[in-house]
Amino acid sequence: MYEDLGFEKLLDADGFFARLLGRSPSGADCKVLFGPDLPVVLLTGGPGMGKGRLLRAVHDRFARQVPVIRLDCASPVYAVQAGPEPGARSAVTEALVEAALLLHTWRGTGGAFTFPRFFAGLAVIATGVADGTPAAIRTEVERYEELLHPPRLRGLGVRDFWRSVLLGAVRNMLEVLAGQAFGPYGAAALTALLDALFERVTPRVEAELTRIYGEYPGAAGQPKHGLRRLATDFQAGGERREDAERFLFRALREDLEAAYGGLGGWLGRVGRPGLLLDHAEEPLGERLLRAVLTDRRDGQRDRVVIVGTARRADGGEFLHGGLPPREVAAFRPADGVPATWSRRRDPERDRGPLSAGVLILRMPFLTGDQLRKATERIQLGAEREGGVHRRRITAAVAQLSGGRPHTVIRLATAAADHRMETDANDRAILDAGLHPDGAPERPVTDVLLQELILDQLPVRLPDEHHDQWLDLLTHLSVAHDPECAEVLLREHQAGRVLRLTAHEIARLLNDTGWPSCERHFIGDFGLRQLLVHRLYGLSRDGAAWYADHHLLCAHYAVGEPSGGAFQSVTTHQMNHHLVSGGVDDVVGHLAATLPGRPRQWCGELLEIAQAPYPGGADERRKRAQGLVQVDGPPLRRTVDQLLHAVWLCEERTRPTGSEMARTLEQLLRQLSTMDFDGAGELGPTATEWSQLAANEQPLLRCDCTDQLGRRR
């Protein structure tokens, strides 16, 4: 139902993917983009941004018109299939074989594909089977024989070139293997296999094998040498195996290119074939992307559309060759279809970084209009609650999701039957129940943290930290900077020999696609709200929440003069004290430090008040409006009200708008008339802050608030 949410323009009849593949979803011809040097397209965005959803939508819409297949590079099935024969298979070869078999079943325009060039490479690495006997090698080779079988649909006869020759050579090969005895290392079997293969081939077939495998490194134009080296490199493992795998992928693409060549391909085939690599940030996906990008950088050309996913905004560390990431060609759906793309040339290097061959498509956050429409469509059941309630739910979903499509869908679905209390913080909807895909009901917080965190662990997170990753992030949700984070990490990794540092966690978060913020260690506003909510609920009455804040209060009570993300260490301490039961102490501190320094004081007030509100009933609005009895002189009472008004505006999980704007202006003007040094300087601040609040703008900007503003 929501497969195209946010992607409508990308999937249109004349949209990006129709132009890239050369066919519309209805089968109409489209003027193709780019070529003959095609970029690898990377969909970038963190968890919940819809990368996999978009790949599924592309496959579902276009796979009937052009041969488009999708592989999940995070699936363990390829490694499991390779396990029994580690000398003759790998996760990469198993994924490539699956891709070839899927294309072999293509029944659209032009018919199925055969893979003789790819088969030749698979046949020689089959000699690396553990048993090493002729029977074992023959069994391994026969796994791939289907790739040579001609299509069931009769074509124009061009495939007889391979069918009549290579199939005969295969039969001869298998007969030779069955009739001989070899040593344990497979070298003799490889020689016999190559002799049998080239004994039956025609000059035309041999010329084609020479063109492909004669170019293998060290082959010197001799296909036998190239195939032998490919088998040897594959069995050697490490980087040599990666070279062999890269060449096998090239052979597969050469087979696809050949199917489109000649008179038969020109008359019978349309568009471009496509390979969609979901979870391409995983090691398998990285190897496949590295292979095709290396080949294309070195001058190899083919028409295969490669689309992969990447969590990092720059596409991934491996693209940049160990150098600082450079700008990569990129666009957003709102930019329209990019009409041109050219490989970036680096005149100072013979071979530029792989990123020069990439075009990045940045996954879009939902716009305010898209978010409202999606939420309202899900919220049909909320009609009975009245318009005010619907608007409150829509606003809460917008704030807590930050426009992240998956989070929008989950929150809006869970909140459809949720009653929002008048004095509730927006985070109250995180307790709403959800039946994820028909499973038993769970709080939507747990579902989202499972899907966004536990199901998408950082690729480079060591195994020994998998069990604590969510808990560490939960505690770090109240940290502001690396020092703040290190204090919490020391506490919550006590007793562990292997520990993660704040720097390592920040890098892992970046690798996973989560944004950073100079004022919040967990830099994504929506994720931070989920984690803060979980932290408060970890133990009874928010004990874990208060323990973390008390720990930080104690640290900054005796800390260095620098406050890290704050103007001073005292301000940093007051921020944590505010949300750990020390409201009255913070009010006293603010009232005492205001006279004589109003401008600096306003900055400190904003920093202190930029904090999450604890769980339970939210009384900040009543206290800001003076509806809660507070003792003390007028200055202290007014500061108390102002602190709570600013806190409401800064946390951004409660509606504020014009009502709170008036309150802010009234309180600041009230302070400006009091008898203390510098009071009159608060007048301009009253105007500035009230205007920002009236337009739902943050009073203190940071990367988090800027991200939210850009998504509106």
Side-chain angles (χ1 to χ4, degrees):
M1 181 177 181
Y2 304 103
E3 285 303 299
D4 63 348
L5 181 61
F7 305 142
E8 296 86 352
K9 290 184 178 180
L10 292 170
L11 300 169
D12 280 351
D14 195 37
F16 176 70
F17 285 101
R19 297 281 303 279
L20 193 61
L21 295 166
R23 301 286 279 182
S24 73
S26 64
D29 287 335
C30 290
K31 182 180 179 181
V32 295
L33 289 170
F34 319 132
D37 184 10
L38 278 178
V40 168
V41 177
L42 290 182
L43 316 179
T44 64
M49 289 304 298
K51 303 180 297 295
R53 181 165 56 89
L54 178 54
L55 289 189
R56 288 192 298 271
V58 171
H59 179 268
D60 293 345
R61 292 203 179 193
F62 292 92
R64 293 184 180 180
Q65 309 302 334
V66 285
V68 176
I69 62 170
R70 175 176 165 268
L71 300 180
D72 183 358
C73 297
S75 172
V77 67
Y78 306 116
V80 170
Q81 291 172 347
E85 291 292 352
R89 307 175 197 169
S90 69
V92 171
T93 63
E94 292 303 298
L96 293 176
V97 168
E98 179 177 316
L101 290 172
L102 288 171
L103 290 164
H104 185 69
T105 63
W106 167 248
R107 294 295 179 262
T109 304
F113 295 83
T114 55
F115 295 89
R117 299 162 184 80
F118 181 44
F119 171 83
L122 292 173
V124 296
I125 67 170
T127 58
V129 292
D131 193 334
T133 63
I137 296 172
R138 175 172 180 162
T139 299
E140 188 70 10
V141 172
E142 286 176 339
R143 289 184 75 223
Y144 313 119
E145 191 176 344
E146 177 66 20
L147 300 177
L148 290 178
H149 288 178
R152 296 177 184 176
L153 297 178
R154 190 167 184 79
L156 297 176
V158 294
R159 300 180 189 87
D160 289 346
F161 164 50
W162 290 101
R163 180 175 61 190
S164 60
V165 176
L166 199 56
L167 278 175
V170 170
R171 298 280 186 265
N172 185 37
M173 215 164 39
L174 296 178
E175 289 173 5
V176 169
L177 291 174
Q180 297 189 24
F182 306 115
Y185 301 111
L190 177 59
T191 298
L193 187 149
L194 290 171
D195 288 344
L197 175 62
F198 282 90
E199 180 181 341
R200 291 282 299 273
V201 298
T202 65
R204 187 181 178 189
V205 172
E206 185 168 356
E208 185 64 7
L209 290 174
T210 299
R211 186 183 70 82
I212 302 297
Y213 290 102
E215 292 185 7
Y216 193 85
Q222 300 297 314
K224 273 191 178 182
H225 292 170
L227 286 163
R228 184 184 300 278
R229 282 181 173 272
L230 183 146
T232 303
D233 286 349
F234 187 87
Q235 291 164 22
E239 292 183 2
R240 291 176 62 185
R241 171 170 283 199
E242 288 186 24
D243 289 340
E245 291 170 337
R246 175 169 64 87
F247 217 83
L248 288 170
F249 192 9
R250 174 180 168 180
L252 184 150
R253 299 195 312 277
E254 290 273 9
D255 281 320
L256 290 174
E257 188 66 19
Y260 280 82
L263 180 63
W266 184 75
L267 292 175
R269 296 198 181 276
V270 295
R272 291 168 171 160
L275 176 60
L276 312 178
L277 301 175
D278 201 359
H279 299 108
E281 67 278 354
E282 296 288 336
L284 169 59
E286 183 178 315
R287 285 196 175 190
L288 293 173
L289 292 176
R290 188 191 297 272
V292 69
L293 285 166
T294 301
D295 281 344
R296 291 181 179 177
R297 181 185 63 185
D298 294 347
Q300 190 263 347
R301 300 290 176 258
D302 60 75
R303 74 188 70 207
V304 182
V305 171
I306 307 290
V307 182
T309 63
R311 294 175 181 174
R312 281 176 47 147
D314 61 11
E317 198 172 59
F318 77 100
L319 295 175
H320 305 281
L323 301 172
R326 296 175 58 179
E327 185 176 348
V328 182
F331 78 104
R332 298 179 185 274
D335 300 334
V337 175
T340 60
W341 176 87
S342 60
R343 182 178 297 276
R344 187 184 69 238
R345 303 295 178 184
D346 190 341
E348 298 178 359
R349 295 173 59 86
D350 294 333
R351 303 197 329 166
L354 296 179
S355 60
V358 166
L359 174 63
I360 283 178
L361 168 54
R362 302 201 187 283
M363 289 287 91
F365 291 93
L366 296 184
T367 64
D369 187 55
Q370 289 173 325
L371 195 150
R372 281 189 295 273
K373 288 181 178 179
T375 305
E376 288 169 3
R377 186 165 46 171
I378 298 170
Q379 285 285 310
L380 294 177
E383 286 289 335
R384 62 182 182 275
E385 301 293 351
V388 174
H389 180 74
R390 291 199 307 277
R391 286 195 295 273
R392 180 74 192 280
I393 289 292
T394 301
V397 170
Q399 286 294 92
L400 295 174
S401 69
R404 196 170 292 269
H406 183 77
T407 309
V408 169
I409 294 169
R410 288 303 200 199
L411 288 179
T413 303
D417 295 320
H418 183 74
R419 176 64 183 173
M420 200 76 162
E421 298 297 334
T422 304
D423 290 334
N425 189 290
D426 286 352
R427 286 201 305 269
I429 69 170
L430 298 179
D431 288 323
L434 181 70
H435 297 274
D437 305 318
E441 182 176 282
R442 298 164 60 196
V444 66
T445 311
D446 295 349
V447 174
L448 283 169
L449 289 174
Q450 177 71 45
E451 294 171 338
L452 299 179
I453 299 295
L454 296 177
D455 291 347
Q456 302 193 57
L457 293 172
V459 173
R460 292 176 175 81
L461 178 67
D463 291 346
E464 59 267 21
H465 297 296
H466 284 193
D467 65 329
Q468 66 167 165
W469 181 245
L470 177 56
D471 284 339
L472 288 181
L473 294 187
T474 298
H475 292 291
L476 291 175
S477 65
V478 299
H480 297 95
D481 50 44
E483 179 187 344
C484 201
E486 286 290 358
V487 174
L488 293 165
L489 287 172
R490 284 195 296 270
E491 173 71 16
H492 295 290
Q493 293 183 107
R496 283 184 176 258
V497 176
L498 299 174
R499 302 181 183 183
L500 289 169
T501 66
H503 171 75
E504 289 169 335
I505 290 180
R507 184 175 179 182
L508 290 168
L509 288 170
N510 179 61
D511 286 347
T512 311
W514 293 109
S516 60
C517 176
E518 76 279 10
R519 302 193 61 82
H520 300 92
F521 189 81
I522 303 295
D524 183 85
F525 182 85
L527 174 62
R528 192 166 66 250
Q529 300 310 310
L530 292 171
L531 293 170
V532 163
H533 190 71
R534 181 176 186 264
L535 176 62
Y536 192 84
L538 273 183
S539 50
R540 187 174 180 179
D541 297 326
W545 164 290
Y546 290 109
D548 282 344
H549 284 292
H550 286 317
L551 179 68
L552 292 170
C553 281
H555 172 77
Y556 288 107
V558 294
E560 298 296 324
S562 172
F566 291 75
Q567 292 184 28
S568 69
V569 67
T570 301
T571 306
H572 199 159
Q573 181 197 17
M574 288 291 111
N575 173 277
H576 292 289
H577 196 35
L578 175 68
V579 294
S580 58
V583 173
D584 291 339
D585 291 340
V586 172
V587 171
H589 167 78
L590 287 170
T593 56
L594 170 56
R597 48 194 299 276
R599 292 188 179 180
Q600 185 179 357
W601 182 86
C602 285
E604 293 172 354
L605 170 62
L606 294 181
E607 289 186 342
I608 291 171
Q610 195 179 55
Y613 192 75
D618 190 343
E619 296 187 350
R620 286 176 295 178
R621 181 178 299 277
K622 292 181 180 178
R623 195 152 173 174
Q625 294 174 340
L627 302 178
V628 176
Q629 182 65 40
V630 176
D631 296 330
L635 175 62
R636 181 187 175 97
R637 294 200 306 272
T638 306
V639 167
D640 185 290
Q641 289 180 246
L642 181 62
L643 169 63
H644 287 83
V646 172
W647 193 1
L648 263 175
C649 293
E650 285 300 276
E651 192 201 11
R652 302 178 68 74
T653 58
R654 282 293 305 272
T656 52
S658 58
E659 180 187 32
M660 199 48 54
R662 289 192 298 270
T663 300
L664 275 176
E665 184 170 21
Q666 175 188 343
L667 293 171
L668 282 165
R669 293 204 183 282
Q670 188 173 327
L671 282 175
S672 72
T673 63
M674 291 186 178
D675 186 19
F676 60 84
D677 290 344
E681 298 179 29
L682 294 174
T685 303
T687 301
E688 178 188 351
W689 286 9
S690 64
Q691 289 177 346
L692 290 171
N695 290 282
E696 299 284 354
Q697 294 294 317
L699 307 182
L700 178 63
R701 304 198 70 84
C702 65
D703 289 339
C704 292
T705 57
D706 287 345
Q707 290 160 13
L708 286 173
R710 287 194 296 268
R711 297 166 195 172
R712 287 188 179 276

